[in-house]
Amino acid sequence: MLKNPEDRRARRSRRMLKESLLELMKKKTFSEISVRDVTDGADMNRGTFYLHYAGTAELLQSLEDDLLEEVQALIDAHIPETVAKGSVGPVLGPVVDFIVEHRETCAVLFSSSEASRFIQSLQQLISRNGAALLETWFHTRDQARTEYFLSFLTWGFIGLLEEWFRQGMALPKAELVNAAQRMADGAAAGLFART
């Protein structure tokens, strides 16, 4: 069965608009970027833009949502092994690989104050998945302690990645993942008792 050419064209148009927005965000603040800027960069007309998005804010949100959905799919694919091993290691490697593959996009989104929703959404995604793991491993009852731990872990992981990128990824990925895993496991073991 052939895929609908309209769907393929629509996906291509959305991808090109997102790529254009990212390129513009490397040069300008988000508030300075107009629909015309995005469409000029994508070599499209404004009518095509408005077929897909109401404005640049919706385009940015769609870009962020796409990335977060891919991260969640990776987590979902590796969570059974993570649960079985009782450690975050099996999920960290693939997530770091994904972030490295999308490093440029993540760097733009992390550095844009208008795109701070992305960082908050990423933090919520990590917390949501982390809370489920903590419940599985430790049967946590102390909600405040769980939230402190997840906040510490999430912001620590984001900071670890930012520092790794700042240092040109000089530390081998396996060592970074291993260090993050040890930090997460050590912090969890210090706060929660396995049941």
Side-chain angles (χ1 to χ4, degrees):
M1 183 173 177
L2 291 175
K3 288 189 176 181
N4 184 342
E6 281 295 314
D7 290 344
R8 200 170 28 235
R9 276 198 297 272
R11 280 195 305 273
R12 182 177 178 275
S13 294
R14 287 191 294 269
R15 180 179 47 78
M16 290 175 66
L17 291 166
K18 289 171 187 173
E19 288 171 0
S20 176
L21 177 64
L22 281 170
E23 284 304 311
L24 289 163
M25 287 176 71
K26 292 176 191 174
K27 302 168 193 153
K28 300 178 169 188
T29 63
F30 180 73
S31 60
E32 296 174 321
I33 299 170
S34 67
V35 169
R36 180 173 300 284
D37 292 333
V38 173
T39 56
D40 285 352
D43 197 23
M44 291 181 186
N45 63 51
R46 289 165 51 99
T48 302
F49 180 96
Y50 289 115
L51 282 174
H52 303 288
Y53 305 105
T56 54
E58 188 176 313
L59 172 60
L60 177 59
Q61 182 173 339
S62 178
L63 172 67
E64 294 172 354
D65 290 345
D66 288 351
L67 279 175
L68 293 168
E69 284 173 24
E70 289 187 59
V71 171
Q72 185 62 59
L74 269 175
I75 292 169
D76 292 344
H78 295 280
I79 212 76
E81 183 184 359
T82 298
V83 169
K85 288 193 173 182
S87 175
V88 295
V91 80
L92 280 179
V95 169
V96 170
D97 287 340
F98 176 84
I99 291 170
V100 168
E101 181 183 336
H102 297 88
R103 178 184 177 188
E104 203 170 284
T105 300
C106 291
V108 169
L109 294 176
F110 283 158
S111 67
S112 173
S113 60
E114 289 104 345
S116 63
R117 189 189 82 75
F118 177 73
I119 294 174
Q120 291 169 338
S121 297
L122 181 61
Q123 191 270 338
Q124 290 166 2
L125 181 144
I126 295 169
S127 290
R128 187 172 55 250
N129 287 282
L133 284 174
L134 287 175
E135 179 57 34
T136 300
W137 292 334
F138 302 104
H139 304 290
T140 55
R141 298 275 181 255
D142 186 338
Q143 187 62 33
R145 185 179 291 192
T146 298
E147 288 174 12
Y148 280 121
F149 172 74
L150 291 172
S151 182
F152 169 79
L153 190 68
T154 301
W155 292 113
F157 182 63
I158 290 170
L160 195 66
L161 285 172
E162 287 179 331
E163 183 62 24
W164 189 51
F165 289 148
R166 193 186 67 71
Q167 292 188 19
M169 299 186 294
L171 186 68
K173 184 197 91 171
E175 288 183 39
L176 177 82
V177 169
N178 209 7
Q181 177 180 337
R182 284 194 315 273
M183 287 181 226
D185 293 346
L191 281 176
F192 306 106
R194 292 228 186 235
T195 56

